[in-house]
Amino acid sequence: MATLMRLNQVFRQFTSKSAKNAEILAFLKGSRLYSVKKESKHYPLERIRNIGISAHIDSGKTTLTERILYYAGRIVQMHEVKGKDKVGAKMDSMELERERGITIQSAATYIDWKDYNINIIDTPGHVDFTIEVERSLRVLDGAVLVLCSVGGVQSQTLTVNRQMKRYNVPCLAFVNKLDRTGADPYRVLLQLRQKLMHNAALLQIPMGLQTEFKGVIDLLNRKAIYYEGPTGEQIRFDEIPADRRTEVEAKRLELIECVSNADEQLGEMFLAEKKPNEKEIMAAIRRSCLKRTFTPVLLGSALKNKGVQTLLDAVLDYLPDPSEVDNFAIDETGEEKKKFRMNPIRTDENPFLGLAFKLEAGRFGQLTYVRVYQGAMKKGDVIYNTRTKKKTKVSRLVRMHSEEMEDVTEVYAGDICALFGVDCASGDTFVTKSEMHLSMESIYVPDPVISMSIKPANNKDLDQFSKGLNRFVREDPTFRIHYDNESKETIASGMGELHLEIYSQRMEREYNCKCVLGRPKVAFRETLMQPVEVDYLHKKQSGGQGQYGRIIGVIEPLAPEQYTQIEFSEELMGTNIPRQFLPAIKKGFYATLEKGGLTGAKVSGIRFRLQDGAHHIVDSTEIAFILATEGAVKLAYEKGQWQLLEPVMSVEINVPSEYQGAVLGQVSKRKGVVVSTESAEGWSTIYAEVPLNDMFGYSTDLRSATQGKGEFTMEYAKYCPASRELQMKMMQQYDAEILANQGHKKKRT
């Protein structure tokens, strides 16, 4: 911060002195140290937009954000993702991001555009970092869904769409990369309608495609828009080319028809055959967009500096301000939890309420990103964590511009800010009044799909190793660490190989601790094939009070779509088991499922129906019923027929059409099932379901088979029964581990 302030002082002294100083200024402006500094300004509620930019990997999100920052005057020079100047895009502040050319962490910034304040979060596109998208969309009011004009709707596009639906986030679609070979915005629009089930229509049509892309035609005001100048900052409106007028009228009618299907007011005008004017159509688009019943589609090419300014105008016109979004909190004061709508008015009349949605270790300690939903927070205020009941003084309050910070004295409802020195977890709720027992709906966190052993290359680095892991676990809820007592290994679990690999590299760069990752361990599960009746008596007498508990019930399998679930059903009649022992029985049941009898994997996809039992007036205790339940489940392990379940991934592979046959062969070899294929403009997209255990090392095989041209993405789809051969192999490995551990214990004794 001090460096940035000093640079600004130097710039003011240099700007008019000499040509040499002008050269120095130009050089420094091109570096990452310089950005345009703006004083914080408080806007009225209707002039605030909180948006996220989300998409599939390599759709151009970060490039688009870089152009937005440039046109809004937040940066003075544009840089490319993984560009030749070695500077990198502003929002990719991490060294690893600039090296790999991908976004790993979501980054926040804000801009002023036409006297509106737009808070922007640029999110990763890779499925391994999906939690960054999840928690960003949780706190945003609107979003821009970026689609590649060649790739169209891809696997991560489907995931992002589900996340937007989960949090009811209105969105615009921006079809990017119209300058690329094979660009086809009409095919992308069709995919939006068919694959994502969006009622979508174009607000613009392109003038030329691929190398001939010159600009767009606005269907609402019937004007051709050209983006001129070296960086596309000069916008020129002109008449529509004569040969395109018939097409424009047809597409405009299609747009009005789509909006009429979603908006009652425009629908009535359409049925009455009245011609709506431009303002009436825009108002209808806004109403239906806020209700998520219509998706406006805009066009452009961020890399070629076309279409960005009109996208920003559409953000102002069609996405909601904070007052138009219903955000709820839960009041836990009484016996019954009450849900109430928070008041978004930007004053300090209402008590402050904010949600911590992201943690990050900064130079000055833990940086906590907070979305303010109600009231105001000022520097020096004391805030309370409603989960931990701890209070913290707000010693420093900042707004973020990628990795740079701008100190502010106060923030209001609708703002996104960051705090230092706050001990909390992602998803915690903060208030300024300790008597308020409020919480907000938590962020959905997907379960990890892959595990690998991790250890420091040098045992002298154990302290740094422990520090780094603890920090990463706090920052990322999908990155989990546990110690396996049997294998004596530290196990890291995450969303994919890249996810764990990135954290291993960050350990080396940020903590000077080189790590060694072992073979990935897949999260197998065990489930029951047929119901098993159990009747187990735990009885122990050793002088004084003994232990007595009897469990009678049925353990049965759930339906295949419920393979990841566990259910406990209490069907007791009478008082053979007193009600106070039910929590102990549940505890014993869930604890025993941590390790199955086949391979030691967790048990899931079963229901325990507790039907009867017995107790002793003196000897029955909680521990007795815990042990009785564990015995009943272990009895089911012995009597029942069990099977191994393995995670199956939904895989999307994009390859040149000439390699399609070879890639289909690879999928079959890896026990995959091809769901569907698509071909367009010389490229083929293969959709398949493949067991995760057979996907390791696939990226290398795919590159070899396609001369480096193929790419794939995958995400968890479901659990399915494993093959008989794999189950036998896993059982033999588990038996060998048990024997080895027993032998190890004997040697130690």
Side-chain angles (χ1 to χ4, degrees), residues 222-431:
R222 297 182 175 97
K223 292 287 183 184
I225 306 174
Y226 299 90
Y227 305 88
E228 298 175 341
T231 54
E233 71 278 7
Q234 298 168 16
I235 301 177
R236 179 169 63 87
F237 293 88
D238 207 340
E239 293 300 317
I240 300 170
D243 60 336
R244 302 294 301 276
R245 287 175 186 167
T246 305
E247 182 188 358
V248 167
E249 291 306 316
K251 293 294 180 185
R252 193 173 193 270
L253 185 62
E254 181 185 325
L255 166 64
I256 294 171
E257 189 175 345
C258 284
V259 181
S260 299
N261 291 332
D263 183 74
E264 190 175 337
Q265 292 182 35
L266 193 68
E268 289 175 359
M269 294 180 69
F270 186 77
L271 291 173
E273 297 185 358
K274 292 181 182 177
K275 288 189 177 180
N277 59 36
E278 185 182 334
K279 286 185 179 179
E280 288 171 333
I281 299 171
M282 288 180 69
I285 292 173
R286 180 175 178 80
R287 286 192 298 269
S288 53
C289 185
L290 297 191
K291 290 187 287 187
R292 282 183 53 85
T293 55
F294 176 73
T295 304
V297 182
L298 295 102
L299 309 176
S301 169
L303 188 65
K304 299 298 182 183
N305 310 313
K306 289 179 172 60
V308 179
Q309 298 97 317
T310 41
L311 173 64
L312 283 173
D313 291 341
V315 166
L316 306 185
D317 291 335
Y318 306 124
L319 290 183
D321 66 58
S323 68
E324 294 172 306
V325 178
D326 291 332
N327 291 303
F328 295 92
I330 301 166
D331 188 351
E332 300 175 340
T333 307
E335 291 183 3
E336 289 188 10
K337 295 180 179 179
K338 295 179 181 177
K339 202 173 181 180
F340 69 94
R341 184 180 184 273
M342 289 174 284
N343 192 335
I345 294 174
R346 287 172 65 78
T347 66
D348 55 4
E349 293 175 7
N350 298 298
F352 165 78
L353 198 148
L355 178 72
F357 66 95
K358 176 178 165 65
L359 309 179
E360 191 178 292
R363 290 167 292 174
F364 308 104
Q366 180 175 295
L367 187 65
T368 305
Y369 288 73
V370 175
R371 162 72 194 267
V372 183
Y373 283 100
Q374 180 178 277
M377 175 171 57
K378 299 176 182 178
K379 186 177 176 182
D381 281 354
V382 174
I383 58 173
Y384 297 85
N385 186 325
T386 60
R387 181 181 62 86
T388 63
K389 312 302 180 189
K390 290 182 180 178
K391 65 178 182 179
T392 308
K393 186 176 181 180
V394 180
S395 57
R396 191 178 179 194
L397 195 57
V398 298
R399 293 185 74 185
M400 301 302 296
H401 176 43
S402 188
E403 81 276 27
E404 296 169 12
M405 287 164 275
E406 177 187 316
D407 285 276
V408 293
T409 55
E410 57 190 3
V411 288
Y412 292 92
D415 288 338
I416 293 174
C417 62
L419 310 172
F420 282 103
V422 178
D423 184 21
C424 68
S426 185
D428 281 357
T429 304
F430 288 99
V431 295

Side-chain angles (χ1 to χ4, degrees), residues 20 33 53 79 81 92 100 109 114 161-162 212 222 272-273 296 309 361 443 453 474 519 533 596 609 641 702 719:
K20 184 177 180 182
L33 289 171
I53 297 180
H79 296 283
V81 175
D92 285 346
R100 287 176 172 260
T109 185
K114 297 187 176 178
N161 183 61
R162 282 198 300 270
E212 302 296 319
R222 297 182 175 97
E273 297 185 358
Q309 298 97 317
I443 299 164
S453 63
R474 285 174 66 86
R519 165 146 178 98
E533 294 183 356
R609 296 167 54 203
Q641 288 183 304
L702 181 63
Y719 270 90

Side-chain angles (χ1 to χ4, degrees), residues 192-203:
L192 262 173
R193 292 170 175 171
Q194 293 179 347
K195 290 187 175 182
L196 301 186
M197 307 304 291
H198 280 225
N199 176 28
L202 297 172
L203 300 191

